[in-house]
Amino acid sequence: METLTKIWLSSPHIGSSEQYYVDEAFRTNWIAPLGPNVTGFEGDLEYYLQEEAHVAALSSGTAAIHLGLKLLGVSNGDEVLCQSFTFSASANPITYLGARPIFVDSESKTWNICPELLEEAIKERIRTGKKPKAIVAVHLYGMPYKVNEIHTLAEKYQIPILEDSAEALGSTYKDRKCGTFGDISILSFNGNKIITTSGGGALVSKTKEYRDKAVFLATQARDKAVHYQHSEIGHNYRMSNVLAGIGRGQMQVLNERVKARRRNYEYYLQALRDLDGISFLNEPDGMFSNRWLSCILTPSYEVRERIRLALENENIESRPLWKPMHLQPVFKGQPNFTNGISEDLFQTGLCLPSSSNLLFEDLERIVEIIKLALK
């Protein structure tokens, strides 16, 4: 029996330039953690993001969140408001610092953190004498969160925002790049992201001071001395020169990768939108999504599973939408402010294959299987 070609949910898509920068690292023996590719990659990102962004290339997006929260002053015993409908890496670093996550549910227009619930959570925590130290807001699946509303609340209550833009490089809000709104923002270059360095991430700051402090902490917090001296606890979080070379090549094709992901979404939209009970997340006015993952909503858990299993049977990877953090066993008992939206999304939503290197024939095959599953 012939094995069907695997179609992945979101696979790496390497171009022709990455090898040049990697070969250059080997040719010049810059295999050590730092080198010209790291500096160059940071510069490429700063040029792309604009807004006088200051970038530190790190080993992962999770490391960037950890350092970002640390820079915002989060420490043992603090509380951090965190979007519940997200991947666990948005919340886990809160616990690394001995702080407590307070989960806030989503609104239906973007699937991101709900401004009304966020303000309710802020007021309630202040009433208990525990003003939150930071807010983690996420641009989920590449769709920007409601920047104006969320940041207005942050300013009103004087709480800094860590902007989790791990899934949103290439997305914009009112023509401004995601990754430039937070007091500190983070990016991810994991293997499944819109561009990749195999593994890696970045911290983005509005100030050079934050960026330089992040680099200091990410290189084991080594003091200026001829010997090894440390006055603070540091981390081994810097990106390697070899992986940064991959990133330099990937930055050259970022715009093409965004166009390809958006083409996938448009194909699914045109092919599936008339099917009974299938719906999509539209872009609200002023928002531009990179469509990192194309997602559909189905009428029920049963229908979602019927589609997912039909695709799986044909060697095609799909995945339910994120399980909210307030439902995760590891965060059982943590305070949460919910409205049922993220739970409904988890029950009925499905992420479809969205790689930028999908062929037209792949998309046709996926759509045909979904249609057959719904008959």
Side-chain angles (χ1 to χ4, degrees), residues 223-287:
D223 295 336
K224 289 184 178 179
V226 295
H227 53 276
Y228 284 92
Q229 178 166 302
H230 308 272
S231 303
E232 295 183 58
I233 297 296
H235 309 273
N236 184 17
Y237 278 172
R238 277 296 248 162
M239 181 180 286
S240 84
N241 194 56
V242 175
L243 296 190
I246 300 173
R248 295 215 70 185
Q250 288 272 282
M251 283 301 294
Q252 295 180 15
V253 294
L254 173 57
N255 291 333
E256 285 73 20
R257 299 297 182 257
V258 172
K259 289 177 184 176
R261 299 259 176 171
R262 285 178 64 84
R263 280 196 301 270
N264 292 339
Y265 173 82
E266 287 298 327
Y267 184 90
Y268 288 131
L269 179 65
Q270 297 304 319
L272 300 173
R273 65 181 177 184
D274 292 332
L275 296 180
D276 188 34
I278 301 297
S279 64
F280 292 79
L281 180 65
N282 297 319
E283 288 169 325
D285 289 343
M287 295 190 185

Side-chain angles (χ1 to χ4, degrees), residues 114-126:
C114 173
E116 288 78 17
L117 280 181
L118 177 61
E119 184 163 30
E120 180 184 327
I122 293 170
K123 288 179 176 179
E124 197 275 339
R125 300 321 290 174
I126 290 174

Side-chain angles (χ1 to χ4, degrees), residues 14-280:
I14 299 300
S16 58
S17 300
E18 293 85 350
Q19 192 68 52
Y20 167 81
Y21 292 102
V22 172
D23 287 347
E24 184 70 3
F26 278 82
R27 187 185 68 79
T28 58
N29 203 35
W30 277 105
I31 308 301
L34 296 175
N37 281 337
V38 175
T39 305
F41 186 39
E42 290 172 340
D44 294 341
L45 287 164
E46 289 171 353
Y47 179 79
Y48 176 80
L49 293 170
Q50 297 296 304
E51 303 298 330
E52 298 184 359
H54 301 274
V55 175
L58 301 173
S59 57
S60 69
T62 310
I65 294 174
H66 186 195
L67 290 186
L69 291 171
K70 201 169 184 179
L71 291 172
L72 294 176
V74 175
S75 61
N76 188 55
D78 288 333
E79 292 186 350
V80 175
L81 296 163
C82 181
Q83 185 165 316
S84 183
F85 193 45
T86 185
F87 179 53
S88 63
S90 301
N92 286 340
I94 298 169
T95 69
Y96 301 168
L97 295 164
R100 186 186 200 187
I102 310 294
F103 295 115
V104 181
D105 216 327
S106 298
E107 44 77 22
S108 60
K109 298 295 183 183
T110 69
W111 299 354
N112 292 313
I113 194 166
C114 173
E116 288 78 17
L117 280 181
L118 177 61
E119 184 163 30
E120 180 184 327
I122 293 170
K123 288 179 176 179
E124 197 275 339
R125 300 321 290 174
I126 290 174
R127 276 197 300 270
T128 65
K130 200 77 174 177
K131 181 181 176 180
K133 205 63 178 282
I135 298 166
V136 177
V138 186
H139 304 297
L140 205 67
Y141 300 122
M143 185 65 74
Y145 60 76
K146 291 184 173 180
V147 172
N148 279 358
E149 291 93 327
I150 300 303
H151 286 256
T152 296
L153 286 173
E155 291 170 13
K156 178 179 178 181
Y157 293 99
Q158 293 297 289
I159 303 173
I161 288 183
L162 189 146
E163 175 195 8
D164 184 342
S165 197
E167 301 172 5
L169 184 61
S171 299
T172 63
Y173 178 85
K174 295 187 176 179
D175 297 322
R176 180 172 164 182
K177 299 286 198 310
C178 290
T180 65
F181 294 104
D183 296 87
I184 289 175
S185 307
I186 72 97
L187 303 170
S188 173
F189 309 111
N190 191 32
N192 65 354
K193 295 302 187 292
I194 198 151
I195 63 168
T196 184
T197 56
S198 176
L203 182 145
V204 184
S205 169
K206 293 177 179 177
T207 69
K208 188 174 185 297
E209 289 74 20
Y210 269 156
R211 184 266 174 196
D212 290 347
K213 182 70 171 181
V215 170
F216 170 73
L217 292 172
T219 47
Q220 298 291 16
R222 182 185 175 186
D223 295 336
K224 289 184 178 179
V226 295
H227 53 276
Y228 284 92
Q229 178 166 302
H230 308 272
S231 303
E232 295 183 58
I233 297 296
H235 309 273
N236 184 17
Y237 278 172
R238 277 296 248 162
M239 181 180 286
S240 84
N241 194 56
V242 175
L243 296 190
I246 300 173
R248 295 215 70 185
Q250 288 272 282
M251 283 301 294
Q252 295 180 15
V253 294
L254 173 57
N255 291 333
E256 285 73 20
R257 299 297 182 257
V258 172
K259 289 177 184 176
R261 299 259 176 171
R262 285 178 64 84
R263 280 196 301 270
N264 292 339
Y265 173 82
E266 287 298 327
Y267 184 90
Y268 288 131
L269 179 65
Q270 297 304 319
L272 300 173
R273 65 181 177 184
D274 292 332
L275 296 180
D276 188 34
I278 301 297
S279 64
F280 292 79

Side-chain angles (χ1 to χ4, degrees), residues 276-278 297-301 303-304 348 374:
D276 188 34
I278 301 297
L297 295 181
T298 68
S300 65
Y301 169 83
V303 174
R304 187 204 79 187
T348 65
L374 292 174

Side-chain angles (χ1 to χ4, degrees), residues 312-358:
E312 183 181 88
N313 192 52
E314 297 294 326
N315 209 20
I316 297 171
E317 184 182 22
S318 64
R319 189 171 297 162
L321 300 188
W322 298 122
K323 183 175 183 177
M325 291 300 102
H326 70 271
L327 297 181
Q328 296 288 350
V330 71
F331 292 121
K332 185 178 181 181
Q334 296 294 356
N336 58 79
F337 295 78
T338 60
N339 54 18
I341 287 178
S342 64
E343 294 181 32
D344 287 344
L345 292 169
F346 169 59
Q347 288 293 316
T348 65
L350 189 68
C351 302
L352 300 179
S354 302
S355 307
S356 52
N357 53 7
L358 280 176

